Amino acid sequence: MEDRAAEKKSGRQTDGLLAPVVGRFAPTPSGEPHAGNLLCALLSYLSAKKKGGAYLVRIEDLDVARCPRAAGEKLLATLAYLGLQGDAPPLWQSERGNVYRAKEDVLRGVAEVYPCYCTRAALHAAEAPRLRDGGVVYAGTCRKRSESERAQLEKTRKPCYRIAVPDERICFADGVAGVYEQNLREACGDFILRRSDGVYAYQLAVAVDDGESGVTEVVRGNDLLTSTPRQIWLMRLLGYRPPAYYHIPLVCDPAGRKLSKSEGDGMARLCDRMSPQQILGKLAYAAGVWPQPCPATLRELTDAFAWDNVRKDKIVWQTESK
Ligand code: GLU
């Protein structure tokens, strides 16, 4: 009995075997991190450490034009200032093209992956339902093309590669948002694995990296809830066990405005003025897991942490002097 209770407390049960808990923070360094980004890092850390697990950091710099190396380094320095730098050296997605290529090959063996020549303008002009992220549900136009048609199109245009999704409901219980389900065909249609410029898509990279790193829990912003069924489906196809998910509310300023990396909500200035403990206490208070906006160490926050206390509606960050 006791063993089972300890097992439940410290890790996930996988067919009677104990799977070590592995959490992660996976930022895109396209700008200076804001409080919402750092809160994801903090809650990923606290959730994993509370269960005696490991916490990893992965830099999602697939789009190297938008995410220069220096921005990733700066982000890591901010995390290190707060003590949230990860238990192993960080993974950089820009260095993992070979891994994604190998997994794309695996997917080609178990699903249909096909070239798509549709232009963005053509996709948006079609009567396709719109997605919340600005994309459209792909109607499968290029799936039906013959080899000769493809060869013809190839002469003028480099294709992206899409994976054909089944007419299948993917359902999971999110630790914050509750039960969420999606039919992939209705929600997004066949989605992109590799862009026409050769860059692997976020959905593929995240599924592969979480799987390869043995991640057992993912804490991130609510804006990624709708991407999760695609990632769960890819992980299953690749033979990985999908992690548990916790999608936290997006962080707003007191006026209800979503924080932004580019609009001066960055944390670097704050790090110049406040101690790590002051920032950690303020973040944890905003999330509902610390009683006052007063300084706290990671040890104290880990002891106090419980998912039940994390705010589920909205998280307000008191921005400075605005
Ligand atoms: N890189 C994504 C972002 O910064 C988060 C990805 C994830 O946590 O799965 O928005």
Side-chain angles (χ1 to χ4, degrees), residues 24 26-28 37 58 60 202 206 218-220 224 231 261:
R24 54 74 155 175
T28 301
N37 303 123
R58 177 171 78 230
E60 301 211 319
Y202 159 70
V206 78
V218 165
V219 180
R220 60 189 180 187
L224 289 167
Q231 294 167 18
K261 288 180 188 171

